[in-house]
């Protein structure tokens, strides 16, 4: 009797978590929305008693355009529209009705993102440092908007002023999605501030006591450094910020507003930044160091399309690849191979895996008693009959434990000739505490791919070596997996740093400097495209830390490199690790390129990356699914954007032992040590014309020359010598 009651209870649980896909209006709803609608229906009685109605923010696509009258009739309020796709709010209770309207093509939303700062590294004190070591006096981001959508902004940090005098504040607009909502016509959530006085009066984002992530990323992209070596890439750019909601700060969201925060809300944040830049008639790059595991590529097609319409000439979107590489997340069974599988590694009771296949395989769930000894097995034949829905359910009983399986066909075509399925496992206790269980796909006459995530991954065990097929692959997060994004992975250039206590922190995972970080997500995307696009330093990155986070966590200083006082408060520089850190570095470099050529498109950026990136590993074809085009080279990229990289006499790197610039109206050259031999000085225009040349004889360590050129513009100073580090070129602006 006890087993029968347990079985019935499990079946009721399965019915509660699995949606009726037949109600999805022929694939017009994303799977996440279907689950949310089901949950909302279960809570309808409670909400009716409370007289509350939950709204959600969605992408909406309609056949014949979108007019406000139709939206009002359908219970929607529009906040953005690009072509036939709008972002609207709609009552959860009416989402299904909306999807069933004949003029509606698609209603889509997915859950909030998470920031891509590595938590495993934090737990093991493997934390990063990044110092700005190269200068670009001719290009500093001036005239460009650098936008960041993130969490944990300290709006008062001195690095967001122009210099140590704190005379010019560079944050020009700020939308805090978690702030009290005051303007329903313009914003679906939160509030905005657009003057320095009003922004500084806020002091920080609503979630700043929980996080400092956005302060750190903004400092890397655009911080001035404020009397420190930790200057960002585009330190004279204007800054526009959006504080969004992530999975980690939902404690700050009113439960009745929970579903207003979706990936569609995030997309509104990107549009907010681009719209601000357009109002200022300036080019813009947006940096987004967050992401989520895409359920299937087809579930994000409106999001991907909306982003592609947002970007274009002078409008660049940069997104992190993610930190999923430390987990095994992908199992591939090729055509002609009978079986492939791996062991489940998950720390929850309920987990979700995904399956893509071109045939009708059998799913096997095998529980093991001992090594090579299978205790129990469940086999479910998967049928592709051309219909959505068709849920398959069964339960595996394992010595008092249970694991229920639900397989639901996906409601949209994903990749050509492949069908997708969602596999939900629901156990009576956390899966990692149960007997080892292998998830296996069987069927020689089909190709199949099993997809996990960093939360619900796989592990290869010696329990049964037949099921050791999992690999780290296909784990680029959304929106980084979209074509519109310049997607950034991380390389580990610094393997050690010293914190303010004098402790030396070493990355024990990375053995060789300059290679792909052990955490950095890799491609391809689910539909086979190469990602990431580029890599940059993401290991040992030092940038700004929020004074308000420091105030709330006075003892959490293990990754702090330096404290300093300003404006009556104590601020900090701190180290961190992740593609969260490499992404704003790339965004800041792109801001320099936009200053040089404001009309650059995403394809122009990729062209420059292809021609100028460094290749960290020999023997690989580039682009590839580890590094993309390779490690970004800011200076060589600038030469390419300016179309002067073809001058054969010009070095594509800066001199390593000479600082070149303009000082007191003169050309200033500071050598690390006095040159032992003559140095040739050549000056070119940005069009490649040689304007001046002189052989420098018997020079000291410091050389000051009257400017030998006239006229405003960008020039290239080329030094050529035999002493180490002297040869190189430097851009200057007059």
């Amino acid at each position: 009797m006890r087993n029968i009651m347990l079985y019935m209870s499990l079946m009721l649980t399965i019915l509660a978590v699995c949606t009726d896909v037949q109600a999805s209006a022929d694939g017009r709803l994303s799977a996440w929305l279907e689950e949310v609608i089901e949950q909302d229906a279960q809570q309808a009685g409670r909400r009716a008693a409370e007289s509350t109605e939950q709204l959600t923010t969605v992408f909406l696509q309609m056949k014949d355009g979108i007019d406000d009258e139709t939206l009002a009739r359908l219970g929607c309020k529009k906040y953005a529209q690009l072509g036939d796709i709008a972002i609207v709010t709609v009552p959860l209770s009416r989402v299904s009705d909306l999807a069933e309207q004949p003029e509606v093509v698609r209603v889509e939303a997915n859950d909030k993102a998470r920031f891509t700062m590595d938590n495993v590294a934090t737990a093991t004190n493997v934390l990063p440092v990044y110092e700005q070591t190269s200068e670009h006096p001719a290009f500093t981001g001036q005239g460009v908007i650098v936008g960041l959508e993130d969490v944990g902004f300290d709006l008062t940090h001195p690095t967001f002023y122009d210099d140590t005098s704190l005379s010019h504040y560079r944050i020009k607009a700020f939308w805090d999605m978690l702030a009290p909502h005051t303007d329903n016509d313009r914003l679906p959530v939160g509030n905005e501030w657009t003057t320095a006085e009003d922004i500084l009066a806020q002091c920080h984002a609503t979630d700043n006591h929980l996080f400092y992530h956005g302060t750190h990323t903004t400092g890397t992209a655009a911080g001035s450094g404020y009397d420190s070596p930790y200057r960002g890439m585009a330190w004279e750019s204007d800054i526009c910020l959006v504080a969004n909601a992530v999975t980690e700060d939902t404690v700050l969201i009113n439960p009745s507003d929970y579903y207003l925060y979706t990936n569609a809300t995030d997309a509104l944040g990107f549009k907010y930044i681009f719209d601000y830049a357009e109002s200022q008639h300036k080019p813009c790059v947006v940096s987004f160091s967050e992401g989520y595991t895409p359920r299937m590529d087809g579930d994000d097609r409106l999001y991907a399309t909306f982003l592609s319409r947002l970007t274009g000439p002078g409008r660049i979107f940069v997104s992190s690849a993610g930190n999923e590489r430390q987990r095994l997340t992908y199992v591939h069974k090729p055509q002609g191979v009978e079986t492939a599988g791996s062991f489940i590694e998950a720390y929850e009771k309920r987990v979700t895996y995904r399956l893509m296949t071109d045939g009708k395989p059998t799913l096997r769930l095998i529980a093991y008693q001992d090594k090579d000894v299978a205790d129990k097995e469940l086999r479910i034949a998967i049928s592709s009959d051309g219909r959505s829905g068709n849920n398959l359910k069964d339960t595996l009983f394992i010595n008092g434990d249970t694991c229920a399986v639900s397989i639901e066909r996906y409601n949209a075509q994903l990749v050509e000739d492949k069908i997708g399925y969602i596999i939900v496992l629901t156990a009576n206790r956390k899966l990692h505490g149960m007997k080892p269980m292998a998830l296996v796909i069987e069927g020689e006459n089909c190709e199949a791919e099993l997809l996990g995530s960093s939360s619900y991954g796989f592990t290869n065990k010696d329990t049964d070596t037949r099921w050791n097929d999992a690999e780290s692959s296909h784990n680029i997060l959304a929106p980084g997996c979209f074509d519109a994004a310049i997607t950034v992975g991380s390389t580990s250039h610094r393997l050690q740093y010293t914190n303010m206590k004098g402790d030396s922190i070493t990355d024990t995972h990375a053995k060789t400097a300059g290679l792909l970080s052990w955490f950095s997500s890799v491609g391809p995307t689910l539909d086979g495209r190469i990602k990431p696009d580029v890599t940059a330093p993401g290991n040992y990155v030092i940038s700004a830390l929020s004074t308000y986070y420091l105030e709330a966590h006075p003892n959490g200083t293990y990754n702090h490199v330096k404290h300093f006082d300003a404006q009556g408060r104590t601020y900090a520089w701190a180290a961190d690790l992740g593609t969260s850190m490499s992404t704003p570095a790339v965004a800041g470099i792109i801001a320099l390129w936009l200053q040089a050529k404001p009309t650059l498109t995403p394809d122009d950026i990729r062209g420059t990356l292809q021609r100028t990136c460094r290749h960290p590993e020999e023997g690989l074809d580039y682009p590839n699914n580890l590094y993309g085009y390779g490690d970004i080279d800011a200076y060589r990229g600038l030469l390419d954007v300016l179309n002067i990289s073809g001058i054969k006499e010009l070095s594509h790197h800066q001199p390593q032992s000479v600082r070149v610039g303009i000082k007191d109206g003169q050309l200033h050259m500071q050598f690390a040590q006095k040159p032992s031999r003559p140095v040739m000085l050549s000056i070119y225009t940005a069009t490649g014309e040689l304007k001046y040349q002189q052989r420098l004889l018997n020079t000291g360590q410091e050389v000051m020359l009257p400017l030998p050129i006239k006229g405003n513009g960008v020039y290239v100073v080329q030094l050529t010598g035999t002493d180490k580090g002297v040869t190189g070129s430097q851009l200057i602006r007059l």
Side-chain angles (χ1 to χ4, degrees), residues 83-103:
D84 62 346
I85 300 174
I87 296 178
V88 304
T89 57
V90 58
L92 272 175
S93 60
R94 301 196 64 180
V95 171
S96 294
D97 294 337
L98 175 63
E100 292 172 356
Q101 301 301 312
E103 62 264 55

Side-chain angles (χ1 to χ4, degrees), residues 553-618:
H553 302 81
N555 298 320
T557 58
Y558 58 89
N559 65 329
H560 294 196
V561 175
K562 182 181 179 181
H563 286 179
F564 66 96
D565 293 330
Q567 306 178 104
R569 296 190 65 87
T570 298
Y571 293 88
W573 304 106
D576 248 317
L577 168 153
T579 55
S580 278
M581 283 68 239
S582 54
T583 299
V586 169
I589 289 169
I590 289 175
L592 304 182
W593 297 354
L594 284 170
Q595 183 183 357
K597 188 176 181 180
T599 58
L600 288 173
T601 68
D603 284 342
D604 291 335
I605 298 294
R606 290 189 178 93
T608 292
L609 295 174
Q610 182 177 23
R611 291 185 291 271
T612 65
C613 278
R614 297 186 294 267
H615 294 168
E617 291 190 54
E618 296 181 1

Side-chain angles (χ1 to χ4, degrees), residues 655-658 671 673 675 679 719-728:
Q656 297 301 301
S657 62
V658 190
F671 293 83
Q673 53 186 328
V679 176
L719 297 177
T720 306
T722 57
D723 288 354
K724 184 178 180 181
V726 167
T727 297

Side-chain angles (χ1 to χ4, degrees), residues 532-566:
D533 296 292
V534 66
T535 54
N539 211 43
Y540 287 10
V541 177
I542 292 180
S543 187
L545 184 133
S546 164
T547 180
Y548 301 97
Y549 182 87
L550 175 61
E551 188 175 65
H553 302 81
N555 298 320
T557 58
Y558 58 89
N559 65 329
H560 294 196
V561 175
K562 182 181 179 181
H563 286 179
F564 66 96
D565 293 330

